[in-house]
């Protein structure tokens, strides 16, 4: 079997299988021969037979022989499947994937080589194998298989290392993206907070300015009460001007209140500001009432 490229171990396995197949073939041929012998002994007892009788005997023999041959072919196919199962199971232990070329099963040149081996080498190999036991199909420890297995292990380790490296890279990219997202969210919140604080500061500054103006008006008004009658006219003009200013300021406050209501209607600062404006309106109403007492005709 040197032309097939088999080593000694595999050659012995082939010899064992061919011995098994030959024994099954010989047994089946004996069975077929017995069918013919049985026909001769049981039916061919007369000297003459009619055509129908001969046809009947041949049909019966055909059925029996056909059944025996079909049974042998089926059994051979199933036996080959079991043999392939052993080979594939052994290959899978080494993480190998075997492939077969069905067309090679009808290669006449190879079939002739197998037939020649059965006629020559197989006979000499029978004598040697008679003294050896029949080992079970087991993993070999030869250099070729071990080297192939080591290469496969190295390849899998390299692939695993590549996957681990890519996983670490993806994790790093994901963490960087998450950090950037967090920084962006913080920056956005800071900007919104700064803008809100600036708006609140501007509104508070304007309210403080209005409070100072009203307070100054009250002081001037109280001083005007103790001044002489000549300053009454000037005070009246100042009060009228202040009233116009207050109206303008109230209008601005109303606009500011609407804007603040849109932006801060859910905040405590908005409620506090609204309370302050309410107090200022009450103070203005109080001033108006006092003006009515001093100027009932207005």
């Amino acid at each position: 079997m040197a032309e097939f490229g088999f080593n000694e171990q595999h050659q012995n396995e082939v010899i064992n299988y061919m011995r098994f197949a030959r024994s099954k073939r010989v047994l089946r041929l004996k069975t077929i021969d017995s069918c013919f012998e049985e026909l001769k002994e049981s039916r061919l007892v007369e000297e003459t037979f009619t055509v129908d009788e001969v046809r009947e005997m041949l049909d019966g023999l055909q059925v029996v022989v056909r059944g025996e041959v079909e049974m042998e072919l089926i059994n051979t196919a199933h036996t080959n499947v079991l043999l392939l199962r052993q080979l594939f199971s052994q290959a899978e232990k080494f993480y190998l994937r075997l492939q077969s070329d069905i067309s090679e099963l009808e290669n006449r040149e190879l079939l002739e080589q197998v037939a020649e081996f059965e006629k020559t080498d197989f006979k000499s190999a029978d004598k040697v194998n008679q003294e050896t036991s029949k080992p079970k199909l087991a993993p070999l420890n030869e250099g070729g298989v071990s080297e192939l297995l080591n290469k496969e292990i190295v390849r899998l380790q390299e692939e695993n290392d590549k996957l681990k490296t890519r996983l670490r890279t993806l994790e790093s990219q994901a963490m960087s993206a998450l950090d950037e997202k967090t920084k962006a969210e913080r920056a956005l919140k800071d900007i919104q907070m700064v803008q809100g604080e600036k708006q609140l500061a501007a509104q508070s500054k304007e309210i403080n300015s209005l409070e100072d103006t009203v307070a100054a008006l009250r002081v001037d008004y109280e001083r005007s009460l103790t001044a002489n009658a000549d300053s009454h006219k000037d005070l009246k003009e100042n009060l009228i001007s202040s009233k116009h200013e207050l109206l303008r300021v109230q209008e601005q406050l109303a606009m500011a209140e609407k804007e603040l209501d849109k932006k801060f209607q859910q905040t405590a600062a908005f409620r506090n500001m609204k309370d302050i404006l309410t107090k200022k309106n009450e103070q203005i109403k109080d001033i108006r009432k006092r003006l009515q007492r001093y100027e009932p005709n207005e």
Side-chain angles (χ1 to χ4, degrees):
M1 293 290 283
E3 59 271 17
F4 290 101
F6 290 166
N7 56 30
E8 183 179 357
Q9 173 68 26
H10 290 169
Q11 181 171 328
N12 292 333
E13 295 295 334
V14 172
I15 291 173
N16 291 333
Y17 177 74
M18 292 184 70
R19 182 186 296 110
F20 168 77
R22 186 181 63 177
S23 63
K24 300 290 290 185
R25 182 172 67 250
V26 171
L27 179 61
R28 191 58 60 184
L29 290 175
K30 289 182 179 180
T31 304
I32 294 175
D33 291 339
S34 66
C35 292
F36 282 89
E37 291 296 330
E38 182 181 0
L39 177 64
K40 292 177 183 180
E41 295 176 358
S42 62
R43 301 295 301 274
L44 300 179
V45 294
E46 300 179 4
E47 295 181 357
T48 59
F49 293 93
T50 63
V51 175
D52 293 336
E53 291 175 342
V54 173
R55 181 179 292 108
E56 180 185 357
M57 288 187 292
L58 292 177
D59 291 340
L61 181 61
Q62 179 185 4
V63 172
V64 175
V65 173
R66 177 184 176 85
E68 293 292 335
V69 174
E70 183 180 10
M71 183 181 298
E72 177 61 19
L73 292 176
I74 294 174
N75 184 67
T76 301
H78 293 175
T79 303
N80 291 333
V81 171
L82 293 179
L83 179 62
L84 291 174
R85 177 178 177 272
Q86 295 182 39
L87 295 175
F88 292 155
S89 298
Q90 179 179 343
E92 290 177 358
K93 292 180 180 180
F94 292 92
Y95 303 98
L96 300 178
R97 295 182 179 179
L98 302 183
Q99 293 181 346
S100 61
D101 188 357
I102 303 299
S103 62
E104 289 295 324
L105 299 179
E106 297 181 353
N107 190 319
R108 299 305 307 174
E109 182 179 356
L110 294 178
L111 292 174
E112 291 175 0
Q113 291 178 5
V114 174
E116 185 65 22
F117 169 77
E118 187 175 9
K119 292 178 181 179
T120 58
D121 296 343
F122 182 65
K123 294 179 180 179
S124 61
D126 280 344
K127 299 179 180 179
V128 177
N129 290 332
Q130 287 176 357
E131 300 177 357
T132 60
S133 60
K134 298 180 180 180
K136 295 183 179 180
L137 190 62
L140 301 177
N141 293 323
E142 297 183 358
V145 177
S146 299
E147 183 179 359
L148 182 61
L149 179 59
N150 291 332
K151 288 182 180 180
E152 181 67 15
I153 292 174
V154 171
R155 185 187 68 81
L156 292 175
Q157 288 177 347
E158 291 178 353
E159 185 176 354
N160 189 27
D161 293 338
K162 291 180 180 179
L163 292 175
K164 288 181 178 180
T165 302
R166 178 164 180 78
L167 178 61
R168 286 194 294 268
T169 302
L170 293 175
E171 288 178 350
S172 178
Q173 293 177 354
M175 293 299 296
S176 299
L178 183 60
D179 292 339
E180 292 179 358
K181 179 182 178 182
T182 303
K183 291 179 180 179
E185 290 178 350
R186 289 179 180 176
L188 179 61
K189 289 181 180 179
D190 293 339
I191 292 173
Q192 292 176 348
M193 185 178 295
V194 170
Q195 290 179 350
E197 290 177 352
K198 288 182 178 179
Q199 291 177 354
L200 287 175
Q203 296 296 334
S204 299
K205 185 177 180 181
E206 185 176 359
I207 291 172
N208 292 332
S209 177
L210 292 175
E211 289 178 350
D212 294 339
T213 302
V214 174
L217 290 174
R218 290 186 63 182
V219 172
D220 292 339
Y221 181 72
E222 291 175 356
R223 289 178 181 176
S224 66
L225 293 178
T226 58
N228 54 26
D230 294 336
S231 62
H232 180 72
K233 184 177 181 179
D234 295 334
L235 179 59
K236 182 178 179 181
E237 292 176 357
N238 290 331
L239 288 174
I240 293 173
S241 178
S242 298
K243 287 172 64 176
H244 290 298
E245 181 67 19
L246 285 173
L247 292 174
R248 186 184 65 81
V249 171
Q250 286 178 350
E251 183 179 358
Q252 293 179 353
L253 286 174
M255 294 177 64
E257 184 178 358
K258 290 180 180 179
E259 184 177 356
L260 288 173
D261 184 60
K262 293 179 181 179
K263 297 181 179 179
F264 305 103
Q265 59 182 353
Q266 300 297 329
T267 62
F270 170 77
R271 292 193 294 269
N272 294 334
M273 187 182 299
K274 189 173 181 180
D275 292 338
I276 293 172
L277 293 174
T278 302
K279 291 180 181 180
K280 296 307 173 184
N281 289 331
E282 291 177 356
Q283 291 175 359
I284 292 172
K285 290 179 180 180
D286 185 59
I287 293 173
R288 287 180 177 176
K289 289 180 180 179
R290 293 184 181 182
L291 288 174
Q292 289 295 331
R293 286 188 296 177
Y294 291 100
E295 299 176 6
N297 295 329
E298 290 293 326

